[in-house]
Amino acid sequence: MSETERTFVMVKPDGVQRGLIGEVVSRFEERGLKMVAGKFMQIDEDLAHEHYGEHEGKPFFEGLVDFITSGPVFAMVWEGQDATRQVRKMMGQTDPAESAPGTIRGDFGLDLGRNVIHGSDHEDPGANEREIDLFFDDEELVDYERIDETWLYE
Ligand code: DAT
Ligand code: MG
């Protein structure tokens, strides 16, 4: 059985401007994932470089940094069984044009550079914990039980 884990998720500036925070949060809530942290914030240049460090040097890097710092984002931590991989599945492919309908990017995006949401890479071990640490202090993560947990997990 998969382990309970925490993963970092963010509604990007396009998603915020388009009024999609509630929609994104609803999807994860309804799936049974538990929000354990949330922060409405503006990403500065340094944080953008650190967060997207793996893409430094790629042709789209500067555009990506400009975009992610262009307006507020809603950063979150979601907890649940196999949370990182399940969130990625719900997000769809990196390119919204290749994302299946029913996924967040497939339902709300059309362009690679405006893909609404970020989620930790489940194929990069430790990415979830690294990104959570980058955006949140330990005391901003809240431990609690959701009332439906006994009905979500066997
Ligand atoms: P993901 O966000 O699905 O984890 P990624 O980590 O490969 O994708 O890239 C980070 C972001 O950079 C992605 O959400 C959109 C942008 N991006 C990736 N590849 C790109 C490309 N070839 N051209 C333009 N933007 C790109
Ligand atoms: Mg990525």
Side-chain angles (χ1 to χ4, degrees):
M1 197 176 58
S2 300
E3 304 217 343
T4 298
E5 57 185 28
R6 289 176 169 179
T7 191
F8 177 72
V9 180
M10 170 166 70
V11 179
K12 294 181 177 182
D14 55 336
V16 172
Q17 293 296 332
R18 292 174 57 208
L20 294 173
I21 294 174
E23 173 69 37
V24 168
V25 168
S26 280
R27 287 184 179 216
F28 296 134
E29 278 186 322
E30 288 171 5
R31 184 77 193 279
L33 293 163
K34 176 164 73 178
M35 192 194 284
V36 295
K39 181 154 60 179
F40 190 69
M41 60 180 282
Q42 176 92 34
I43 297 180
D44 65 20
E45 196 89 1
D46 287 348
L47 181 56
H49 275 79
E50 208 166 340
H51 176 62
Y52 280 129
E54 65 175 303
H55 299 300
E56 207 142 8
K58 295 181 185 170
F60 61 85
F61 182 70
E62 288 310 323
L64 180 60
V65 169
D66 285 349
F67 166 58
I68 209 69
T69 57
S70 67
V73 300
F74 189 56
M76 297 160 275
V77 178
W78 287 88
E79 182 184 293
Q81 200 167 279
D82 196 28
T84 311
R85 193 167 69 95
Q86 296 308 323
V87 164
R88 289 294 304 203
K89 283 167 68 173
M90 292 171 74
M91 284 168 49
Q93 303 297 310
T94 299
D95 187 350
E98 303 305 325
S99 298
T103 64
I104 292 165
R105 286 167 169 171
D107 285 348
F108 299 111
L110 291 165
D111 190 60
L112 176 56
R114 298 289 182 270
N115 61 7
V116 181
I117 184 168
H118 169 85
S120 301
D121 187 351
H122 72 286
E123 289 175 344
D124 177 1
N128 48 4
E129 287 173 16
R130 189 173 65 242
E131 294 180 348
I132 291 167
D133 279 355
L134 192 56
F135 280 83
F136 291 97
D137 296 328
D138 283 352
E139 60 269 21
E140 291 177 302
L141 303 174
V142 182
D143 288 313
Y144 68 104
E145 269 180 35
R146 236 173 81 160
I147 199 168
D148 55 6
E149 272 168 42
T150 48
W151 300 100
L152 276 164
Y153 298 109
E154 194 175 354

